[in-house]
Amino acid sequence: MRVAISFDYDSPAGYKESFGPGRDLPCDADYRGTEALLKVLAKHDVQATFAIVGCVALDGAPPECCPGQIREIHAAGHEVASHSMYHRFIPPMTDRELAEDVKLSKMALEACIGQSIRGFIPPFNRPAHFPRRGAFSFSEVLGLHGRGRGRQSVNTMLATLNSHGFGWCRVSFRSTLKSLTEKIIVADRFPPQPFVFENMVVMPLHATGFGEATLSLLRRYLDSDHVLTVYAHPNKAHDELDENGVNDERAEVMDAFLTRLERERALGRVEFCTMAQVECQVRAISGPLLQDINSRRRRFR
């Protein structure tokens, strides 16, 4: 099986946009957390994906602007992706606002590392409203988050990203019907796999942090050909335990997680990869199928 680890680098701009306790984070939380995570990843020879808010790539003083750290991430062999330009909440954005935001973030990050940016991870893992896949978020549509009624869905966001040269996007959504039936019927929760939608490779999110729940999920599918996506925040890499006595996003928890999987890696049962690598594999598999579907569409027009 393949495991794609990604980090959401929110930056001080993101803390200001936070809904809750994130507003109180130290300004250098992402910077210091990333330093710790890079050391752990290097220790275990694991490549990951860092989705970074575009304004961090601009010239300026740390911790608001850290182009040097972004280049360090890139030089270490990790993938750099976009986490928007200023970490704004996407659902209430107009089409023009969203297009401008993703374009600016892509330009800033590409200018920083001198390489094309393929991936996008939306702030707050939103939108989650995805009607074409049976996922309905009425809180987004009705604006119950207090930031305006929803204009964007996963559908429209993917179309915008595709038009601006992105290739993959990590999303978090749940089929409304499936969620209801699982409350009634105890079923095997097969993790949804990456798929192609409107020429974008969509990466469903499976787990947060590196604790026992994530490890248990991974071990369950060790001998499969599944892809599992795991994410964390650099700004929590040094955090203390939360009110429940838990913080599975700490750097030392990730270190223990990777250590416990060393034997499985040596046996070839688990492979760590970047989101870009998953995109290439999905497109290689989906290519012939998509060509056949497109030829059928042309035939019946």
Side-chain angles (χ1 to χ4, degrees), residues 30 106 138 176 224 233:
D30 271 298
K106 196 171 192 291
F138 299 106
T176 304
S224 72
H233 294 86

PDB file of all heavy atoms in Angstrom, residues 30 106 138 176 224 233:
ATOM      1  N   ASP A  30       4.371  27.609  12.579  1.00  0.00           N
ATOM      2  CA  ASP A  30       4.575  26.805  11.375  1.00  0.00           C
ATOM      3  C   ASP A  30       6.060  26.706  11.032  1.00  0.00           C
ATOM      4  O   ASP A  30       6.535  25.641  10.613  1.00  0.00           O
ATOM      5  CB  ASP A  30       3.810  27.399  10.186  1.00  0.00           C
ATOM      6  CG  ASP A  30       2.401  26.850  10.083  1.00  0.00           C
ATOM      7  OD1 ASP A  30       2.254  25.630   9.888  1.00  0.00           O
ATOM      8  OD2 ASP A  30       1.444  27.631  10.202  1.00  0.00           O
ATOM      9  N   LYS A 106      -0.280  30.118  -6.852  1.00  0.00           N
ATOM     10  CA  LYS A 106       0.525  29.303  -7.765  1.00  0.00           C
ATOM     11  C   LYS A 106       1.730  30.090  -8.271  1.00  0.00           C
ATOM     12  O   LYS A 106       2.865  29.591  -8.292  1.00  0.00           O
ATOM     13  CB  LYS A 106      -0.336  28.822  -8.932  1.00  0.00           C
ATOM     14  CG  LYS A 106       0.260  27.670  -9.748  1.00  0.00           C
ATOM     15  CD  LYS A 106      -0.793  27.155 -10.736  1.00  0.00           C
ATOM     16  CE  LYS A 106      -0.354  25.837 -11.367  1.00  0.00           C
ATOM     17  NZ  LYS A 106       0.783  25.973 -12.265  1.00  0.00           N
ATOM     18  N   PHE A 138     -25.093  21.421   4.057  1.00  0.00           N
ATOM     19  CA  PHE A 138     -26.070  22.501   4.166  1.00  0.00           C
ATOM     20  C   PHE A 138     -25.523  23.654   4.995  1.00  0.00           C
ATOM     21  O   PHE A 138     -25.933  24.799   4.815  1.00  0.00           O
ATOM     22  CB  PHE A 138     -27.377  21.958   4.751  1.00  0.00           C
ATOM     23  CG  PHE A 138     -28.013  20.897   3.893  1.00  0.00           C
ATOM     24  CD1 PHE A 138     -27.977  19.563   4.262  1.00  0.00           C
ATOM     25  CD2 PHE A 138     -28.597  21.242   2.689  1.00  0.00           C
ATOM     26  CE1 PHE A 138     -28.533  18.587   3.447  1.00  0.00           C
ATOM     27  CE2 PHE A 138     -29.165  20.278   1.864  1.00  0.00           C
ATOM     28  CZ  PHE A 138     -29.133  18.941   2.242  1.00  0.00           C
ATOM     29  N   THR A 176     -23.691  11.808   1.685  1.00  0.00           N
ATOM     30  CA  THR A 176     -24.746  11.964   2.682  1.00  0.00           C
ATOM     31  C   THR A 176     -25.507  10.665   2.896  1.00  0.00           C
ATOM     32  O   THR A 176     -25.796  10.271   4.037  1.00  0.00           O
ATOM     33  CB  THR A 176     -25.719  13.078   2.252  1.00  0.00           C
ATOM     34  OG1 THR A 176     -24.975  14.288   2.045  1.00  0.00           O
ATOM     35  CG2 THR A 176     -26.787  13.323   3.312  1.00  0.00           C
ATOM     36  N   SER A 224      -2.898  -4.449   0.763  1.00  0.00           N
ATOM     37  CA  SER A 224      -3.729  -4.042  -0.372  1.00  0.00           C
ATOM     38  C   SER A 224      -2.928  -3.118  -1.281  1.00  0.00           C
ATOM     39  O   SER A 224      -1.788  -2.779  -0.990  1.00  0.00           O
ATOM     40  CB  SER A 224      -4.973  -3.315   0.132  1.00  0.00           C
ATOM     41  OG  SER A 224      -4.615  -2.018   0.619  1.00  0.00           O
ATOM     42  N   HIS A 233      -0.603  19.412  10.774  1.00  0.00           N
ATOM     43  CA  HIS A 233      -0.236  20.834  10.676  1.00  0.00           C
ATOM     44  C   HIS A 233       1.146  21.044  11.298  1.00  0.00           C
ATOM     45  O   HIS A 233       1.366  20.638  12.448  1.00  0.00           O
ATOM     46  CB  HIS A 233      -1.238  21.699  11.431  1.00  0.00           C
ATOM     47  CG  HIS A 233      -2.604  21.700  10.848  1.00  0.00           C
ATOM     48  ND1 HIS A 233      -3.551  20.734  11.162  1.00  0.00           N
ATOM     49  CD2 HIS A 233      -3.203  22.542   9.957  1.00  0.00           C
ATOM     50  CE1 HIS A 233      -4.668  20.990  10.509  1.00  0.00           C
ATOM     51  NE2 HIS A 233      -4.485  22.081   9.766  1.00  0.00           N
TER      52      HIS A 233
END
